[in-house]
Amino acid sequence: MRQLNRSFAAIILMATFAPKDLFAQTVWAPHTLTFTASGSPSWRSFPLTSTFTHTTGARVVVEGYWDGGKTWRVRFAPSLPGNWTWSTASSDSGLGGKSGTISVASPSSSQLAANANFRGHLRIAGDRRTFTRADGTPFFYLGDTGWRFGSTVYSNFQAWADDRKTKGFTVAQVSYVSGARSNEGGYPYSSSGGSTDTGDYSQINPGYFQALDTRMQYLFDRGVVIAGHPSWLTNSGHYDLLEAQELSRYLYARYGAYPLVWSVTGEYHLSTAYWAENNYARVRQLGAFVKTKNAYKHPLSIHPGTNSAIHFHSEDWLDHNWLQTYNSPENIPLFINQALTYSPAKPVIESEGQYDAIPGRTAPEDLQRRQAWVSLLSGAAGYVHGSYGIFGFTNMSELSLPGSSQLSRLAAFFNQNNIRLSALNPTVAAGKGCVTVNAGEPSLTNQTHARCAGTPGVMYLLYAPVGSSSQALVIRGLANQAYVARWLNPTTGASTLVDGGNPVNTDLNDSWTVPTRPSGADWVLWLSKSGSAGAIPPAKPRGLRKN
């Protein structure tokens, strides 16, 4: 932690400018400019803005944030190599009228190999169903839930981040403020240097957020995207609309330069009467406001009780949907199918399935891997895992539960075989799914029914759950091609060729009967055309738009 703090301090020191100074940095790496106010403007007044302009005309305007005393900072992540000029505007003479130039280098091949965040922030792909990095690289969205990452002891946060990174998770799903919980910088709202919680929203404690800075940088350095919301803004009773807007604005100013996926609030279905009034009118206003502060065009959604599409799909600010099936994992295919039927098309994230190790609840051994495989093969753009003792960092031994390890094998399978989520179309057979169960369509709520997705003529994945071994499964929509078939054990990650690797469907039918499963456990069947692993040409790079 000491080394990390020295590194972070060095970044801030480098970025403390006299006018017209020049320094070098790397594309997409967040860097910080520091200024000293002449007066004492309130943090809620947001008196500082900075405009960054690239030689191509690309332009981004970001707000500054208060960091204690008379210190104000601006955090910036350049999207293009070359020179960026910057200038500040403020009614405070110590903050306004400053300018300079930043020289930005492209990341090296070794930087890209070590840290995927140098490929840029997330963008919605051209298929309107999945995500890419800003440079067009397809993004495999596999998250883990650490809601209280900002208020656990730092060593617990590090252990979680390192474990999930090692296992192939690419997203940390968090809440920036978790009620009246403190970290090494104190409580988020305090008038006594953070040592006591006042509950007074106007008395924000920079020390709390400085501790968050260290966590955010730690995740960035490991190539992890941060998805989350400011807090449970609409159901705590602590925030009115203006206060929720101001906290969101502050967090955007402070962390917008990082690779984010933004949720307007946590579990809006639990909103107080104030927020739920008139069909969540104030929640809609909050979402629209947040979009105006989204300088880097981060993906924007909201954390629901079931399906965010039900209340907000038509909202201009919501560009992808989140689901929650914490109490109803059987509904995963149903909710995804429902969300994908709305227009216009928007990606869907299963943001909260049933957690591992919920006290008093007995879950089947295959639940964690089943939820993930079913989500991805039902058309989701990503899946987020959770463990009861980890979301609040109350039982760190749960890092070693089998569920997360089995999801690491799912991640390894996709990554090692270059299988992209954009290749997994669940409706490949004349608008129908690519599997029949006992000659009928699979039920959207039957947890023993198989799920299948693929690309006609290229590849297919079929997940056969526990309880499906006696069912007659037929894959259809095969585009009259022959394939090589493999069984993948999702528990161990081991794979076995079907029929010794000889091609199947050699009579070139449009359908093929799935052979007997190797055992009564759950299995994944992978069909791939010879020489193909489901690769799809990458999308064209997309950075910040010109204004």
Side-chain angles (χ1 to χ4, degrees), residues 407-430:
L407 294 197
S408 76
R409 294 174 188 117
L410 178 152
F413 172 77
F414 277 83
N415 293 330
Q416 292 169 8
N417 295 294
N418 194 29
I419 297 175
R420 299 171 182 174
L421 295 179
S422 58
L424 300 182
N425 185 347
T427 55
V428 299

Side-chain angles (χ1 to χ4, degrees), residues 71 74 80 103 118 122-123 154 172 181 208 252 283 367 504 530:
T71 299
V74 170
L80 296 169
S103 177
F118 286 119
L122 294 195
R123 301 286 182 259
Y154 192 77
R181 294 181 176 88
Y208 174 88
Y252 253 114
V283 178
L367 177 64
V504 301
S530 180

Side-chain angles (χ1 to χ4, degrees), residues 204-391:
I204 199 167
N205 169 30
Y208 174 88
F209 296 96
Q210 288 161 6
L212 279 193
D213 292 346
T214 308
R215 290 159 167 78
M216 297 292 285
Q217 188 66 35
Y218 195 89
L219 292 169
F220 176 87
D221 289 341
R222 281 145 187 81
V224 176
V225 170
I226 302 100
H229 37 251
S231 187
W232 276 257
L233 295 173
T234 65
N235 58 38
S236 66
H238 296 158
Y239 302 90
D240 62 21
L241 177 59
L242 177 61
E243 292 167 340
Q245 288 174 333
E246 289 175 346
L247 178 59
S248 300
R249 187 177 180 182
Y250 181 82
L251 291 169
Y252 253 114
R254 190 156 195 139
Y255 300 123
Y258 286 98
L260 305 180
V261 175
W262 195 267
S263 164
V264 170
T265 186
E267 295 184 306
Y268 76 84
H269 67 294
L270 300 177
S271 293
T272 62
Y274 169 87
W275 285 99
E277 186 180 39
N278 194 21
N279 196 26
Y280 300 103
R282 290 187 178 91
V283 178
R284 298 174 196 278
Q285 291 176 335
L286 177 59
F289 174 83
V290 166
K291 183 179 179 180
T292 69
K293 302 304 174 184
N294 189 7
Y296 291 95
K297 309 297 187 283
H298 297 299
L300 179 58
S301 191
I302 190 167
H303 182 221
T306 54
N307 187 342
S308 65
I310 294 171
H311 292 104
F312 301 109
H313 188 89
S314 62
E315 295 295 321
D316 180 61
W317 51 265
L318 185 138
D319 54 36
H320 70 288
N321 284 296
W322 282 21
L323 309 178
Q324 181 181 163
T325 57
Y326 183 93
N327 291 312
S328 59
E330 70 278 4
N331 285 329
I332 290 175
L334 175 64
F335 288 177
I336 293 173
N337 180 267
Q338 289 173 340
L340 291 176
T341 61
Y342 283 82
S343 182
K346 297 181 180 182
V348 181
I349 298 296
E350 169 54 283
S351 70
E352 193 168 10
Q354 184 170 312
Y355 288 172
D356 231 344
I358 299 175
R361 185 179 297 186
T362 301
E365 182 272 336
D366 66 312
L367 177 64
Q368 296 307 314
R369 58 183 182 269
R370 170 162 39 93
Q371 290 181 119
W373 281 102
V374 166
S375 294
L376 299 182
L377 298 189
S378 296
Y383 176 79
V384 182
H385 169 263
S387 178
Y388 194 88
I390 298 302
F391 89 83

